[in-house]
Amino acid sequence: KGKRAFIAGVADDNGYGWAIAKSLAAAGAEILVGTWVPALNIFETSLRRGKFDESRVLPDGSLMEITKIYPLDAIYDKLEDVPEDVKSNKRYSGSSKWTVQECAESVKQDFGSIDILVHSLANGPEVSKPLLETSRNGYLAALSASSGSSLSLTYIASERIIPGYGGGMSSAKAALESDTRVLAFEAGRKHRIRVNAISAGPLRSRAAKAIGFIDTMIEYSLANAPLQKELSADEVGNTAAFLASPLASAITGAVIYVDNGLNAMGVGV
Ligand code: NAI
């Protein structure tokens, strides 16, 4: 029987979430996605109009099917947590049941259970500000949106200094990696669930473009990484499919680099 995967953080065909969905689909998984509420409309419309058809093609020539798209805002656990101005915001009021708890309940109601949970989202409202100038609200917002889950995407800014990755996003990734270890223990003992993170190299996604230094990071990697090629989202997708598969049955609590080896360098060349 094929596995069922829920991937949170897919709103176009440029990011890691989309590539992970494709790799999992190619391996035979059924795909459910969680899409940020404000991005839901455009994503569904583009998908329906065939805008993503070219990037939906799987290795066997068929098109990836997304069984269901759920609206999601990962910073709210339940309806009571949502402020009035968000509830009444036009971009939110058109959808319902998009808090984490309601979304999980909807998935449970529709499908009973899932086998694979991927967290491929991040949001740091003050990402372009240095940490020194980040407000408490900006910092907490970055942590709130950007940590937690069973397979997640992290960035080396958690452990090394990456100037420009601000607003508490470096802190959020550090929390995410620590949580990966502790959750691996707790969920492993309690439910035999494996919890891992992929520390990915730079990709020109929508989120990364918003930070403002992505082209510099890609150039830096090309110049300095052991493997001198641009990283493709599929390489991260394939690692995610491996980690979610029985081939990785003894891997948990791990942060796996998929970055052309850049993390291993001590100095630039
Ligand atoms: P992306 O823009 O494709 O994905 C981010 C998604 O998060 C978007 O679909 C956005 O709508 C969604 N999102 C933002 N706030 C949300 C919220 N409150 N609730 C639900 N969804 C929300 O960009 P990308 O780069 O593929 O990001 C995926 C993951 O990869 C993130 O965790 C990011 O930090 C990580 N990553 C990205 C790198 C890069 O260079 N692009 C490098 C290393 C890690």
Side-chain angles (χ1 to χ4, degrees):
K1 174 188 149 282
K3 293 197 172 164
R4 185 176 298 119
F6 184 93
I7 302 132
V10 181
D12 60 40
D13 61 348
N14 288 321
Y16 283 134
W18 176 270
I20 291 168
K22 273 180 76 175
S23 293
L24 291 171
E30 175 175 27
I31 305 299
L32 313 175
V33 304
T35 300
W36 196 29
V37 193
L40 181 71
N41 226 333
I42 173 114
F43 179 59
E44 283 184 321
T45 310
S46 307
L47 195 63
R48 194 168 351 101
R49 295 203 179 137
K51 212 187 134 203
F52 302 137
D53 282 0
E54 228 169 276
S55 35
R56 278 173 65 204
V57 181
L58 299 175
D60 71 356
S62 67
L63 295 190
M64 168 173 71
E65 291 296 338
I66 299 175
T67 306
K68 192 159 178 183
I69 300 170
Y70 291 87
L72 174 68
D73 195 320
I75 68 170
Y76 304 114
D77 281 337
K78 40 192 191 326
L79 197 57
E80 300 91 274
D81 300 340
V82 184
E84 275 314 316
D85 59 321
V86 174
K87 264 184 214 162
S88 58
N89 181 311
K90 263 207 309 241
R91 299 199 295 172
Y92 281 84
S93 55
S95 311
S96 60
K97 298 195 178 165
W98 37 258
T99 64
V100 173
Q101 204 174 72
E102 292 170 299
C103 180
E105 275 159 16
S106 302
V107 173
K108 194 170 179 190
Q109 217 163 56
D110 293 344
F111 297 97
S113 65
I114 58 168
D115 306 293
I116 300 165
L117 175 63
V118 180
H119 178 280
S120 184
L121 61 91
N123 195 6
E126 299 182 17
V127 66
S128 53
K129 277 192 201 165
L131 187 56
L132 202 56
E133 288 161 28
T134 298
S135 72
R136 181 177 302 269
N137 276 341
Y139 183 89
L140 292 175
L143 260 97
S144 171
S146 313
S147 346
S149 180
S150 109
L151 179 59
S152 61
L153 274 293
T154 185
Y155 185 48
I156 197 167
S158 61
E159 42 175 330
R160 297 275 184 270
I161 302 164
I162 308 282
Y165 198 70
M169 280 305 297
S170 56
S171 328
K173 293 305 193 190
L176 179 61
E177 290 173 28
S178 177
D179 294 350
T180 297
R181 292 182 283 271
V182 177
L183 288 175
F185 173 71
E186 294 180 359
R189 289 294 174 92
K190 200 166 171 196
H191 305 292
R192 291 205 210 172
I193 290 174
R194 296 186 292 109
V195 183
N196 294 295
I198 295 174
S199 186
L203 174 78
R204 214 177 270 101
S205 65
R206 194 187 169 100
K209 279 191 274 192
I211 304 174
F213 67 176
I214 189 65
D215 290 317
T216 315
M217 297 320 270
I218 291 173
E219 275 164 40
Y220 182 87
S221 180
L222 268 175
N224 295 295
L227 301 177
Q228 291 192 287
K229 61 180 179 58
E230 195 157 320
L231 181 70
S232 97
D234 293 345
E235 294 174 300
V236 168
N238 290 338
T239 307
F242 160 70
L243 284 174
S245 82
L247 293 174
S249 55
I251 302 180
T252 193
V255 177
I256 310 268
Y257 294 102
V258 183
D259 65 347
N260 286 322
L262 185 62
N263 72 88
M265 298 298 296
V267 289
V269 285

